Amino acid sequence: MRKCTPLAPKRSKYPSTLLRGHPERRKATVSELIFTSSSHNDLPISRNDTEPISARTAPPAHLLYLLFHEIPDFCLQKPLYNEIKHRQCKNNINRNPDTLSHFISVFPYKRETAQEVTRPAPSNPSNLPSIQTISPPHRYKRKQQTKMYRFKNKVILITGAASGIGEATTRRITSEGGTVVMADFAKEKNELLARELKAGKAEVFPVYFSAEDLESCRSLIEQTLDKYGRIDVLVNNVGGTDLQRDTDIETLDITFFDRAFHLNLRSAICLSQLAIPAMLRQKGGNIVNIASIGGFTGDFRGTYYGTSKAALINLTRYIATQTGRHNIRCNAVAPGLVLTPAALKNLPEETRRTFERHNALPYLGEPQDIASAVAFLASEDARYITGQTLTADGGLTIHNPTIADFTNH
């Protein structure tokens, strides 16, 4: 990065003595806060520019470095702020007084004292201010989400909606104003969750659903269309396996093939096939498939599960390719280990620690993490994304698998 050089104003009676350690150091004037750099040609830098600096223009990192490391009294003393806000300046900063006050609000240094506070200069000038040095570090706690209503007046059909990732997705969608058709095999649990959500003023419709039964798939789509007349989003979440029968290639139960693939793949194909005509009539729709990192990687067991999820990932691409011109998007989410109630019940603590040791992040996923990814792909925020699989595994599959053995996690 080129070194930044302050530009002195025309006919200025002051020398540009702004940097730390200069014997005649003083406070900066407004004109001297305009810096030039060949790497930021989009920033108005010329003294003859007629367009005002926009508050929406992100300040270059080297500019922020000079402002907050070499000129600390920019943030600590009020006179300069008032000068920026009120002085008539040839660069038209006076038309946008919020520009530099916006920078101040982004970097919450103290401004209440009028005396200069000396901060030690960084050992390496390339160490620019970062998010970690400005805001408190993330302590692995879920932050409060801003209330959004991305699914208002939309009907979302979710399979496996009564537990785990499906339950978290149902809660997330309804919290954003969506109407959710809750399809699940566990009828009583599904109705119990529906009553809870209805008590919170959510619009939900619980329906019994067996993913292995084609007739149940048809009935689910018919009931949804009879009640609401449309399906805006289909979330193919249901899936699973029996690890007593779905083992390695030498010992797996060949008779378990049909059940595993019907549950994980055929149900998604059938529901998508039945929902797409309704989406065509609506002139648009959205399908989100819940896959797994098992569809990308191999494992010592779960052969059917991983193979069927790999097929689901490629089915996502096929649906997106064949329906994209009709304004129908199709994407998938591939979770890693997620601490669902079933995982907490069946996985011993030692196994969970092993997964955490191999994660890039220092924690394991929760159902709400996957629900957030589904909500994003199902919303208009992802309107230009289709045929993609979003991996949400805490970084488990991004690195050399031996890294945990060579580093102190």
Side-chain angles (χ1 to χ4, degrees):
M1 183 181 293
R2 290 182 54 187
K3 184 177 180 181
C4 307
T5 305
L7 293 178
K10 289 183 178 179
R11 297 184 298 277
S12 174
K13 63 181 179 179
Y14 298 105
S16 296
T17 54
L18 302 178
L19 300 182
R20 182 184 300 281
H22 196 283
E24 299 181 26
R25 185 172 180 231
R26 56 179 175 74
K27 286 186 291 185
T29 62
V30 174
S31 299
E32 289 169 323
L33 291 176
I34 302 174
F35 295 83
T36 179
S37 171
S38 61
S39 62
H40 291 277
N41 296 326
D42 58 334
L43 186 67
I45 58 175
S46 171
R47 285 188 292 265
N48 297 321
D49 279 349
T50 57
E51 291 298 323
I53 296 176
S54 172
R56 293 173 294 178
T57 302
H62 64 271
L63 173 57
L64 295 178
Y65 171 77
L66 288 172
L67 293 180
F68 297 113
H69 286 267
E70 297 297 342
I71 312 173
D73 47 343
F74 171 79
C75 290
L76 294 173
Q77 299 191 14
K78 194 173 181 181
L80 177 61
Y81 176 78
N82 290 334
E83 182 182 7
I84 292 169
K85 193 168 183 180
H86 300 295
R87 177 179 170 178
Q88 299 296 315
C89 178
K90 290 183 179 180
N91 288 292
N92 297 315
I93 296 178
N94 56 296
R95 295 188 203 170
N96 291 272
D98 293 332
T99 299
L100 292 174
S101 63
H102 169 71
F103 296 168
I104 294 175
S105 66
V106 171
F107 295 87
Y109 290 90
K110 295 181 180 180
R111 306 182 216 134
E112 63 273 8
T113 177
Q115 68 179 28
E116 178 176 337
V117 176
T118 302
R119 287 191 292 273
S123 57
N124 183 359
S126 64
N127 289 339
L128 303 176
S130 65
I131 295 176
Q132 291 295 335
T133 62
I134 293 168
S135 59
H138 179 49
R139 305 313 301 172
Y140 325 140
K141 294 181 180 179
R142 189 174 307 283
K143 295 181 180 180
Q144 185 67 33
Q145 298 291 328
T146 304
K147 194 72 171 179
M148 296 181 289
Y149 292 93
R150 295 181 292 184
F151 302 103
K152 188 175 182 180
N153 300 324
K154 291 190 175 182
V155 177
I156 296 88
L157 170 56
I158 303 175
T159 63
S163 61
I165 294 172
E167 178 185 352
T169 304
T170 299
R171 293 182 182 276
R172 178 60 182 265
I173 298 295
T174 54
S175 72
E176 295 195 30
T179 298
V180 176
V181 178
M182 303 168 53
D184 203 282
F185 184 79
K187 187 175 181 179
E188 293 183 1
K189 188 174 183 179
N190 198 29
E191 292 178 349
L192 183 64
L193 176 61
R195 286 197 295 270
E196 176 191 339
L197 294 173
K198 286 179 179 179
K201 307 302 181 182
E203 177 65 30
V204 294
F205 176 45
V207 179
Y208 171 80
F209 170 67
S210 174
E212 300 176 44
D213 184 4
L214 292 179
E215 188 56 40
S216 183
C217 293
R218 296 188 186 95
S219 175
L220 174 60
I221 297 298
E222 289 175 0
Q223 290 184 67
T224 302
L225 294 176
D226 288 345
K227 186 169 182 63
Y228 298 108
R230 61 187 298 116
I231 299 175
D232 295 288
V233 181
L234 168 63
V235 181
N236 288 311
N237 167 70
V238 70
T241 192
D242 180 356
L243 292 178
Q244 300 300 318
R245 304 172 68 183
D246 186 7
T247 55
D248 60 38
I249 190 63
E250 295 181 276
T251 61
L252 59 77
D253 184 353
I254 196 65
T255 63
F256 185 63
F257 176 90
D258 286 348
R259 184 177 180 188
F261 273 75
H262 290 175
L263 180 64
N264 295 308
L265 181 62
R266 192 181 70 170
S267 65
I269 294 175
C270 184
L271 290 174
S272 299
Q273 185 183 55
L274 296 170
I276 285 173
M279 295 179 179
L280 291 175
R281 291 192 296 270
Q282 301 159 195
K283 301 188 183 305
N286 199 336
I287 299 173
V288 181
N289 297 320
I290 306 301
S292 168
I293 60 170
F296 295 120
T297 63
D299 209 338
F300 71 97
R301 62 179 180 178
T303 307
Y304 288 144
Y305 182 78
T307 306
S308 61
K309 291 299 185 179
L312 185 61
I313 290 170
N314 218 35
L315 173 68
T316 299
R317 299 188 184 103
Y318 269 79
I319 294 175
T321 301
Q322 296 165 3
T323 62
R325 287 294 180 178
H326 301 289
N327 195 31
I328 297 174
R329 296 189 296 112
C330 184
N331 294 286
V333 179
L337 177 61
V338 177
L339 297 179
T340 61
L344 291 172
K345 179 180 179 181
N346 297 315
L347 288 180
E349 182 68 20
E350 183 180 355
T351 301
R352 281 180 260 161
R353 291 288 169 253
T354 300
F355 274 91
E356 185 176 313
R357 186 168 67 93
H358 286 277
N359 263 14
L361 295 175
Y363 48 87
L364 296 176
E366 299 175 354
Q368 294 88 339
D369 298 317
I370 311 305
S372 298
V374 174
F376 165 68
L377 291 175
S379 73
E380 285 299 303
D381 290 340
R383 64 182 294 271
Y384 202 51
I385 301 175
T386 191
Q388 305 302 311
T389 299
L390 176 59
T391 302
D393 64 352
L396 180 65
T397 58
I398 64 172
H399 54 72
N400 187 319
T402 62
I403 190 172
D405 298 320
F406 291 101
T407 58
N408 182 20
H409 275 45

